[in-house]
Amino acid sequence: MFKYVFGVDLGGTTVKIGLLTTSGEKVDVWEIPTRTEQNGKYILGDIAKSVRAKMEEKGITDSEVMGVGIGAPGPVDSKGVIYNAVNLGWGKFNLEEELHSIVKLPVKAGNDANVAAYGEAWKGGGKGYSNMLLATLGTGVGGGIIIDGKLLNGATGAGGEIGHIHIEDEEEDTCGCGNHGCFEQYASATGAVRLAKRELVASNEDSVLRSENDLTCKLIFDAAKAGDALAKRVIEKYGYYLGKGLAAVASVTNPEVIVLGGGVSKCGEILFDLLRPSYEKYVFPGSANVKFALAELGNDAGIFGAARMLIDKD
Amino acid sequence: MFKYVFGVDLGGTTVKIGLLTTSGEKVDVWEIPTRTEQNGKYILGDIAKSVRAKMEEKGITDSEVMGVGIGAPGPVDSKGVIYNAVNLGWGKFNLEEELHSIVKLPVKAGNDANVAAYGEAWKGGGKGYSNMLLATLGTGVGGGIIIDGKLLNGATGAGGEIGHIHIEDEEEDTCGCGNHGCFEQYASATGAVRLAKRELVASNEDSVLRSENDLTCKLIFDAAKAGDALAKRVIEKYGYYLGKGLAAVASVTNPEVIVLGGGVSKCGEILFDLLRPSYEKYVFPGSANVKFALAELGNDAGIFGAARMLIDKD
């Protein structure tokens, strides 16, 4: 009878590891550095050592552990093969088999954004729903899609990469992916700042944002809430694009709930009011009746989702 | 040991029924009329009677039959509930339970477009792939998405409704769904004719299309192939929009293969050349490496897909 499961959230600078019970209670959460030197050759060994040390510390035997789930910053296919995690210096290899051969426990691997969606669906903003879309609004826009309780990984692990659907023909700036008019050029935190800078250049209108040297998404939303007219227009535009992009994804995947996570989601439920007009305008009517929710697990979504992959596997 | 399975493709005027072996060979295919009178109350009874009559004719016993799969023209959720199949006069009810109570065999139900996708994935253009997108280019644009071998149904059976994602901001004509700039306003057969009519109005340029009273998609493609410059521009525009819409769907779902079906797909592989430039321009790079194929089962896709749902269920 399994009592425990490990969830690993592998990032570019730190690895967050969670020891959870199989019903999803946190027993312990800690971090180790991500050693990216020499093409990241130490990373999996470090994780295995840390997991094994924790088992010894807590007196946990192999037979009590369901396994180790790991979310990694790159596309991971359904066989556990990771493709080109550039931040870690990794090429293409079977992450599940490799980590399993070192840690000697069952391993399940997934893309970090998809895994976070799994966490939110299990214990966070999407709890109780089988069909969920998580949009992570941070430096970029990531996504994870849960269909009938399962992750949509896609052929090469690029499923749920909602940040790069095209939503604006008139865009002249280039997205990080090389295209123009990608969803994440507007709906990320960076996108909100970009929209604000454009609005500031377009007029001489008074705005508290003019005195900010280091514009952030939070400053823009705070200014809008305090009544700044220009900031208000910026967040309305932000909401327009957020709703438009989510409508495209929801028209295809028909979720019950759309969960907003990432830094921008800290702005709160005002986001729902901002996005709803364009969401309703652009969505296929059959997918219009959706609930919106905020992510609840913050940085813990990855460890919960990673652990959950194991529980699902058995 | 099951030997047979029935696949039912329920349309607005006829019901097509297939008796297949469980490995997918056709034993018999026939049609009965769809009696839509009195809110379609006779439809399921007619189907059950026809299935039972065929079993008697062939001397097939209940224990040899895996069940009856049925694709219906409306959203069907994963519990078998159909929502509002207006063409049949039906409201919302559990189609699986209702048909099961009459035919006394296991029943599995799905949306017709999704079911057709399942058929193409099993025995047609998507054979051998676990992650497929079927785009049905007919009067409208329907779709079906297969993820890891399973249908993406969505929360209310509206999954894969790719025809109504928004791809053009400048559109003034209204789509059947009430929106403007939907994928199906361009990529359907009707859309191709609309693009041609616009092009004809925009100039006085010579074109064989001017002498056609009843413009069809086939006439446009034939004219383009024969060297008509205006028709060529029309099919290039058609391909532009087809690629742009498919790119949005593929960026989210990351398929291995995109299969084109419906009337327009009879124009053949020229479609791949036409759509590829905009597909590659707009798709997320991680989903760029996709194969394109033509649907192969034609009107039989529905019965194969419907039957396949049963085989998957067990």
Side-chain angles (χ1 to χ4, degrees):
Chain A
M1 183 65 184
F2 297 124
K3 282 189 195 163
Y4 303 103
V5 57
F6 287 92
V8 178
D9 184 10
L10 171 51
T13 49
T14 56
V15 186
K16 190 169 183 176
I17 309 179
L19 170 62
L20 309 176
T21 66
T22 51
S23 56
E25 285 136 39
K26 268 196 254 185
V27 178
D28 204 350
V29 177
W30 68 101
E31 292 186 354
I32 61 172
T34 307
R35 289 200 286 157
T36 53
E37 60 259 38
Q38 296 192 49
N39 293 324
K41 67 184 278 196
Y42 303 116
I43 295 173
L44 295 183
D46 289 349
I47 292 170
K49 205 181 290 177
S50 187
V51 162
R52 283 287 170 190
K54 185 62 66 179
M55 286 171 66
E56 201 172 317
E57 176 197 324
K58 301 274 183 193
I60 296 172
T61 63
D62 282 31
S63 61
E64 290 175 307
V65 178
M66 194 164 246
V68 180
I70 180 169
V76 179
D77 72 16
S78 56
K79 293 182 182 68
V81 174
I82 185 161
Y83 296 75
N84 219 14
V86 279
N87 294 339
L88 306 178
W90 284 357
K92 176 185 167 186
F93 68 99
N94 192 308
L95 174 54
E96 286 182 9
E97 288 174 8
E98 191 75 18
L99 181 55
H100 170 69
S101 74
I102 315 176
V103 78
K104 313 285 184 201
L105 292 165
V107 174
K108 187 83 191 137
N111 165 265
D112 53 4
N114 287 352
V115 165
Y118 223 9
E120 287 290 341
W122 187 27
K123 293 286 180 182
K127 197 174 168 176
Y129 299 99
S130 305
N131 293 281
M132 187 195 85
L133 162 63
L134 172 70
T136 307
L137 313 170
T139 312
V141 171
I145 296 168
I146 308 288
I147 304 288
D148 288 335
K150 302 276 173 201
L151 263 175
L152 189 166
N153 268 315
T156 55
E161 281 282 4
I162 64 172
H164 300 279
I165 53 172
H166 176 85
I167 61 163
E168 173 58 83
D169 285 341
E170 308 296 318
E171 184 58 55
E172 291 181 354
D173 291 354
T174 307
C175 178
C177 75
N179 283 345
H180 300 260
C182 290
F183 187 28
E184 92 170 22
Q185 285 187 284
Y186 309 92
S188 61
T190 326
V193 171
R194 211 173 58 98
L195 290 172
K197 285 183 177 164
R198 276 197 183 167
E199 202 70 27
L200 287 167
V201 168
S203 77
N204 289 317
E205 190 181 330
D206 251 10
S207 168
V208 297
L209 300 181
R210 293 200 187 277
S211 57
E212 299 292 346
N213 289 321
D214 196 10
L215 220 48
T216 62
C217 187
K218 183 173 182 331
L219 284 170
I220 299 163
F221 274 78
D222 285 349
K225 285 175 191 168
D228 189 276
L230 187 144
K232 266 191 185 168
R233 285 205 306 278
V234 172
I235 68 168
E236 276 161 16
K237 275 198 184 164
Y238 178 85
Y240 166 81
Y241 284 115
L242 180 58
K244 189 176 180 183
L246 292 175
V249 183
S251 294
V252 174
T253 58
N254 185 213
E256 295 164 87
V257 62
I258 296 177
V259 178
L260 302 181
V264 181
S265 70
K266 292 181 186 144
C267 299
E269 301 198 348
I270 185 179
L271 290 165
F272 308 155
D273 300 329
L274 291 169
L275 71 83
R276 207 167 259 130
S278 68
Y279 180 83
E280 287 172 359
K281 173 171 157 62
Y282 290 119
V283 77
F284 175 63
S287 291
N289 187 20
V290 72
K291 288 169 200 79
F292 289 95
L294 295 171
E296 294 173 4
L297 302 179
N299 291 329
D300 283 349
I303 56 169
F304 277 100
R308 175 67 191 220
M309 286 192 293
L310 257 292
I311 295 173
D312 253 42
K313 200 183 173 189
D314 281 26
Chain B
M1 183 65 182
F2 297 124
K3 282 190 194 161
Y4 302 103
V5 57
F6 287 92
V8 178
D9 184 10
L10 171 52
T13 48
T14 55
V15 186
K16 189 165 182 177
I17 309 180
L19 169 63
L20 309 176
T21 66
T22 52
S23 57
E25 284 136 39
K26 269 197 253 184
V27 179
D28 204 351
V29 178
W30 69 100
E31 291 186 353
I32 60 173
T34 307
R35 290 200 285 157
T36 53
E37 60 258 38
Q38 297 193 49
N39 293 324
K41 66 185 279 195
Y42 302 117
I43 295 173
L44 296 183
D46 289 349
I47 292 170
K49 205 180 290 176
S50 186
V51 162
R52 282 287 169 190
K54 185 61 65 181
M55 286 170 66
E56 201 172 318
E57 175 196 326
K58 302 273 182 192
I60 297 172
T61 62
D62 282 31
S63 61
E64 290 175 307
V65 178
M66 193 165 248
V68 180
I70 180 167
V76 179
D77 72 16
S78 55
K79 293 183 182 67
V81 174
I82 185 162
Y83 296 76
N84 219 14
V86 280
N87 293 339
L88 307 177
W90 285 355
K92 177 185 166 186
F93 68 98
N94 193 307
L95 173 55
E96 286 182 10
E97 289 174 8
E98 191 75 18
L99 181 55
H100 170 69
S101 74
I102 315 176
V103 78
K104 313 284 184 203
L105 291 165
V107 173
K108 187 83 191 138
N111 164 264
D112 52 4
N114 287 352
V115 165
Y118 223 10
E120 286 291 342
W122 188 27
K123 293 285 178 185
K127 197 172 169 178
Y129 298 98
S130 305
N131 293 281
M132 187 195 85
L133 163 63
L134 173 70
T136 308
L137 313 170
T139 312
V141 171
I145 296 167
I146 308 288
I147 304 287
D148 287 337
K150 302 276 172 198
L151 263 174
L152 190 165
N153 268 315
T156 55
E161 281 282 5
I162 64 172
H164 300 278
I165 53 172
H166 177 85
I167 61 163
E168 174 58 83
D169 286 341
E170 308 297 317
E171 184 58 56
E172 291 181 355
D173 290 355
T174 307
C175 178
C177 75
N179 284 345
H180 300 260
C182 290
F183 187 29
E184 90 169 23
Q185 285 187 285
Y186 309 91
S188 61
T190 327
V193 171
R194 210 174 59 97
L195 290 172
K197 284 183 177 163
R198 277 199 183 165
E199 202 70 26
L200 287 167
V201 168
S203 78
N204 289 318
E205 190 181 329
D206 251 10
S207 168
V208 297
L209 299 181
R210 293 201 186 276
S211 57
E212 299 292 346
N213 289 321
D214 195 10
L215 219 48
T216 63
C217 187
K218 183 175 184 326
L219 285 170
I220 300 164
F221 273 77
D222 286 350
K225 286 174 190 168
D228 188 276
L230 187 143
K232 265 192 187 169
R233 285 206 307 279
V234 172
I235 68 168
E236 276 162 16
K237 276 197 184 167
Y238 178 85
Y240 166 82
Y241 284 115
L242 180 58
K244 189 176 181 183
L246 292 176
V249 183
S251 294
V252 173
T253 59
N254 186 212
E256 294 165 87
V257 62
I258 297 178
V259 178
L260 303 181
V264 180
S265 71
K266 291 179 187 146
C267 298
E269 301 198 349
I270 186 179
L271 290 165
F272 308 155
D273 300 329
L274 292 169
L275 70 83
R276 207 167 259 132
S278 67
Y279 180 83
E280 285 172 1
K281 175 171 157 60
Y282 290 119
V283 77
F284 175 63
S287 291
N289 188 20
V290 72
K291 289 168 198 81
F292 289 96
L294 296 171
E296 294 172 4
L297 302 179
N299 291 330
D300 283 348
I303 57 169
F304 277 101
R308 175 68 191 218
M309 285 193 292
L310 256 292
I311 296 173
D312 254 38
K313 201 183 174 189
D314 283 24

